[in-house]
Amino acid sequence: MEILTRVAEMKERAREIVREGSSIGVVPTMGYLHDGHMSLIRRARRENEVCVATIFVNPTQFGPNEDLDKYPRDPDADRAKCMEAGVDFLFTPSPEDIYPPGYQTYVTVEDLSGPLCGASRPTHFRGVATIVLKLFNICLATRAYFGLKDYQQFQVIRTMARDLNLETQVIGLPTVRESDGLAMSSRNAYLSPDQRKQALCLNEALEEASALMKSGEKDPRKYLTAMEDRIIREPQARIDYLNLVDPESLEELKEVNGRGLAAIAVFIGATRLIDNRILSP
Ligand code: AMP
């Protein structure tokens, strides 16, 4: 495995690979890798001649009072995991190289960036779309892999790729969970043992919603109430949002007819966690 830290270097290596006619599978991450990330890396490894993992804690997707400075990092463990998974290139650029002085270009995917996480993190998806487009261009990604745990992010990126006629094929893979159902997340590291137990309310709330869908419930308010009731049982849980939306447009459902996306964000203490589930009858 080669570790590259410079944009120019990564781009040059990617050009060589493309010249040879090989495909490049890219997995963008912010590091502190867990099995969710590794599922993306394994898939990229299988489907492409060359596999690139990127680790970059992207400042432009964090709001002013968010956890950029304390975001968990473990470069040695990340390196070992990537090596073991057969990653060919680990790209870990610096913020100064990605956003040099004078940097001023951002990508906005308009409607999809507004609801859900966009409501409480107004500049988040602009930062995400921008860094992902830059990484596609730097790594000359044939395919890129994203987790459906960040469902809205996936829709934003997929739409950006479509709207801007990108060459990169965007692939979404299922959420990997701990054995008790908690969605894996680097931010789970912030939780105390007691908070870790309380965090199960996210997945369990989604299960309540799933059961309502199976029972044929048509009133979206019933779903929201059921999810809320489950979450507020936990003393340290504070709801950022919970919603039932159309899985493509992310617009709120007025009536449940067919598929829906239940999406939630909950603070457990100071840690904001998200989860979602596609519900189908
Ligand atoms: P992050 O490092 O949190 O920015 O995540 C990097 C990529 O891994 C994103 O595409 C995430 O959606 C994906 N990811 C994070 N957690 C999970 C998970 N539990 N299961 C599957 N993919 C995940």
Side-chain angles (χ1 to χ4, degrees), residues 111-129:
D111 297 345
L112 285 175
S113 298
L116 305 178
C117 288
S120 41
R121 308 183 76 189
T123 58
H124 174 67
F125 289 113
R126 160 190 192 262
V128 168

Side-chain angles (χ1 to χ4, degrees), residues 28-30 34 36-37 40 71 146-147 149-150 153 174-176 184:
T29 81
M30 299 204 298
H34 51 64
H37 299 117
L40 308 180
Y71 195 81
F146 297 89
K149 147 114 186 335
D150 300 278
Q153 166 172 286
T175 302
V176 177
M184 288 190 184

Side-chain angles (χ1 to χ4, degrees), residues 12 25 134 163 199 204 263:
E12 188 44 44
K134 283 171 70 72
D163 289 353
E204 287 173 11

Side-chain angles (χ1 to χ4, degrees), residues 239-280:
I239 295 168
D240 178 17
Y241 66 77
L242 47 84
N243 220 330
L244 186 63
V245 300
D246 178 275
E248 305 304 319
S249 68
L250 305 184
E251 282 167 15
E252 212 170 286
L253 292 183
K254 301 281 175 255
E255 200 192 14
V256 183
N257 280 316
R259 274 160 32 109
L261 176 85
I264 56 190
V266 176
F267 284 93
I268 304 289
T271 304
R272 184 176 175 280
L273 301 176
I274 59 171
D275 203 349
N276 69 79
R277 185 159 311 180
I278 297 265
L279 311 178
S280 51

Side-chain angles (χ1 to χ4, degrees), residues 172-227:
L173 297 180
T175 302
V176 177
R177 296 175 183 279
E178 304 285 357
S179 56
D180 59 6
L182 178 67
M184 288 190 184
S185 163
S186 305
R187 290 190 170 98
N188 292 348
Y190 297 141
L191 302 171
S192 70
D194 181 46
Q195 290 174 333
R196 168 69 182 71
K197 283 190 204 122
Q198 296 185 41
L200 289 178
C201 69
L202 283 90
N203 181 50
E204 287 173 11
L206 294 170
E207 270 171 12
E208 304 265 340
S210 190
L212 280 176
M213 176 65 95
K214 297 265 181 279
S215 77
E217 179 58 58
K218 296 228 174 299
D219 181 356
R221 282 169 307 184
K222 295 266 172 53
Y223 291 79
L224 303 188
T225 309
M227 291 195 284

Side-chain angles (χ1 to χ4, degrees), residues 38-97:
M38 299 319 289
S39 73
L40 308 180
I41 289 176
R42 281 193 292 272
R43 179 73 165 266
R45 174 66 291 166
R46 265 211 311 281
E47 290 184 348
N48 301 276
E49 273 130 346
V50 171
C51 173
V52 179
T54 76
I55 296 180
F56 181 63
V57 182
N58 175 36
T60 64
Q61 72 189 67
F62 287 79
N65 298 314
E66 293 182 354
D67 57 344
L68 172 63
D69 293 334
K70 66 173 184 122
Y71 195 81
R73 293 164 206 247
D74 191 345
D76 294 342
D78 288 350
R79 206 177 305 123
K81 285 179 187 168
C82 287
M83 199 127 71
E84 198 191 326
V87 168
D88 298 296
F89 295 96
L90 177 58
F91 179 48
T92 61
S94 68
E96 296 74 25
D97 205 13

